[in-house]
Every structure is written in C-alpha cells, then in structure tokens.
Amino acid sequence: MEILGVLLGVALLLGLGVVVLVVIGLIKAARAVGEKVERQEAKARRAVENVTLKAKSYTQTGPQGQISAVRLGLRTSLDGTRRVLEGAVGQDGQLGEALALLGRLDAHAAELDGELRMLEREPDTGRVAAKLPELRERAERITHSAETMRWAAQDRMHRFAADELGRLSRECEDEAGALRHWDTVPGGAGAGSAASASASGVSASGVSGSGVSASASVPGDPGVGAAAAGAPGAARETGGARRGLTDGRGGRPSAEELLGLTDPVTKLAQRLRKPTTGPSAG
C-alpha cells in the first residue's frame, strides 16, 4: 500500500508539472500574440494618422495646415531612416549604433509631435503663430539628423556594393584567363599530329620495302624457297594472297593436310630416296 501511495504521489506531481508547463506555454503564446496584435494595430493607426495629416496639409490653410505638414514631414523622415537602417543592419553590424541613435531621436520626435498636436488644438491663433516657428525649427533639426544618417547608410551600402563588385570582376577575369590556358601552349597538338603522321609513313614504307625485297628473290634458289616456305606468317603480314577454302583458287586441301601428316610423309620419302651401301647394292 505504501508503494502504491508513493506511485500515486509521483503521478500527481508529474501531472501537476505538465499542467503548469502547459499553462506557462499558453500564457507566453497569448503574450506573443497580443504583442503582435498591438504592433499591427500601432502600424495601422500610424498609417491612418499619416493619411489624415496628408489630407489636412493639402486641404487646410493657415497655421493648422502648416502644423499638419510639419508633423507629416517628421514622421516620413523618421520612418524612411528606420526602414533603411533595419534593412541593412543584418549585413553591416556597425549600423546598430546608428539605429540606437535613431531610437533616441525618435523619442524627441514623439515629444515634439505631442506638442504639435496640442498646438493644433489651440484655439488662440496668436499663440499658435508664436509657437509654430520654434517647433518647426526643432522638427527641421530632427529631420536633418535622420536624413543625414539615412544618406550615410545608403552611401555606405553603395560603397560596399561597389567594392564587392570590383573584387568579383577581378576574380571573373582571373577565372577567364585560367579557362583560356591553351593560348599559352605553342601548337602542341599540331606538332604531335605531325609526328604521328611521319611515324605512320615510316612504318608503311618499311612494310612496302620488305614486300619488295621478298618479291625480288632469285628464282631457283633453294635457300630462298625454304625461307619463303617456312614463313607463312610473314607472307600474310606483307599482304600476300591468301588461299581460300572454297574460292576455287587454291583447290581443296588434301587428306594429309587435314590430318596434319604432311611432315611425316615428306620425311619418309626422303629416307627412301637415300642410296643403300649394303651387300645387295651390287
């Protein structure tokens, strides 16, 4: 019973741990989804505000239209600089410091935008006319700082791209030169073909010369006849006429040739032709 109770306690602890992990995961997922929704909502709200400010700057006249134009220019400059820096910071880590400076600059821009919003709702036109030049000057300073960082980042990216393209062009030229390495070899293939052609010509002349020497043998010379009879392979190599089996030019082979008895019969005939020196000679 004690063992069963321990096992049940362990199972309950494991189940409680799984439940806690599931709850923590759900909370983190809900927070991530909420943050994503908030970011999307902020982007949508900012887009709507930008469209509204653009419409006011075109439709309203006087200080109200000027305030809308200043707010719109401030937002547009900061948004453009942020897009450029965030898009290039993955390739160039030194832009991270510029991105941090842009964050601080964006905080000042947010304060200025709040002041401009309050000034836009100010009913006293005299106060609006007195405060607007100062706020416009601050907005121009923020805008100039943001544009300076954006232009510097763009020039930096263009310079790195130009340097990389220069190195790539040099590597391509080196590779093209390596692929054209046969231009530096002085006609090796032609010399080799000429040497092989001359060697084949020499061998052909040697063969024809042997054929001429074989055909120029003296008739009736037994040594030459024996040499010619004993070298059928040489005659075949020099291009001599081959005797066929059924072509009718050489006739059919004899029985001795088919059975391989040509040499024993010849030896027996030579032995019978020798003169006898015994007592029966007289």
Side-chain angles (χ1 to χ4, degrees), residues 55-136:
K56 287 182 179 180
S57 63
Y58 288 142
T59 58
Q60 292 181 354
T61 60
Q64 301 298 327
Q66 295 177 8
I67 292 174
S68 299
V70 171
R71 293 181 62 191
L72 181 61
L74 190 65
R75 290 167 177 258
T76 303
S77 178
L78 290 173
D79 290 341
T81 303
R82 184 175 296 276
R83 284 194 298 268
V84 170
L85 294 180
E86 289 180 350
V89 71
Q91 301 176 356
D92 190 358
Q94 293 185 1
L95 295 178
E97 185 176 356
L99 195 59
L101 291 175
L102 181 64
R104 295 170 56 186
L105 195 63
D106 197 3
H108 287 281
E111 295 178 359
L112 179 58
D113 187 74
E115 295 180 10
L116 288 171
R117 187 183 298 111
M118 289 188 299
L119 187 63
E120 188 178 12
R121 298 171 185 173
E122 178 63 38
D124 189 358
T125 57
R127 181 172 177 81
V128 172
K131 295 289 293 184
L132 184 57
E134 179 186 356
L135 298 179
R136 182 187 292 114

Side-chain angles (χ1 to χ4, degrees), residues 69-276:
V70 171
R71 293 181 62 191
L72 181 61
L74 190 65
R75 290 167 177 258
T76 303
S77 178
L78 290 173
D79 290 341
T81 303
R82 184 175 296 276
R83 284 194 298 268
V84 170
L85 294 180
E86 289 180 350
V89 71
Q91 301 176 356
D92 190 358
Q94 293 185 1
L95 295 178
E97 185 176 356
L99 195 59
L101 291 175
L102 181 64
R104 295 170 56 186
L105 195 63
D106 197 3
H108 287 281
E111 295 178 359
L112 179 58
D113 187 74
E115 295 180 10
L116 288 171
R117 187 183 298 111
M118 289 188 299
L119 187 63
E120 188 178 12
R121 298 171 185 173
E122 178 63 38
D124 189 358
T125 57
R127 181 172 177 81
V128 172
K131 295 289 293 184
L132 184 57
E134 179 186 356
L135 298 179
R136 182 187 292 114
E137 191 270 336
R138 287 173 56 187
E140 289 177 355
R141 289 174 59 186
I142 295 174
T143 302
H144 177 71
S145 299
E147 290 177 349
T148 300
M149 287 194 298
R150 182 174 70 249
W151 296 336
Q154 291 174 350
D155 293 340
R156 183 180 179 85
M157 289 187 296
H158 293 165
R159 179 61 182 271
F160 285 169
D163 294 342
E164 182 65 23
L165 181 59
R167 289 193 295 269
L168 183 59
S169 299
R170 289 192 295 271
E171 291 178 1
C172 292
E173 291 177 359
D174 294 340
E175 184 64 22
L179 293 175
R180 294 192 182 96
H181 65 280
W182 66 82
D183 291 341
T184 60
V185 180
S193 60
S196 60
S198 61
S200 61
V202 170
S203 61
S205 62
V207 172
S208 61
S210 60
V212 171
S213 60
S215 62
S217 59
V218 180
D221 191 353
V224 174
R236 285 196 301 268
E237 290 179 358
T238 55
R242 294 184 179 181
R243 185 175 59 183
L245 181 64
T246 59
D247 56 358
R249 290 183 297 176
R252 296 181 179 275
S254 61
E256 292 82 358
E257 292 178 351
L258 292 175
L259 295 177
L261 300 179
T262 303
D263 293 339
V265 173
T266 303
K267 292 181 180 179
L268 180 60
Q270 291 178 357
R271 189 178 299 120
L272 291 176
R273 291 193 187 95
K274 289 183 180 181
T276 58

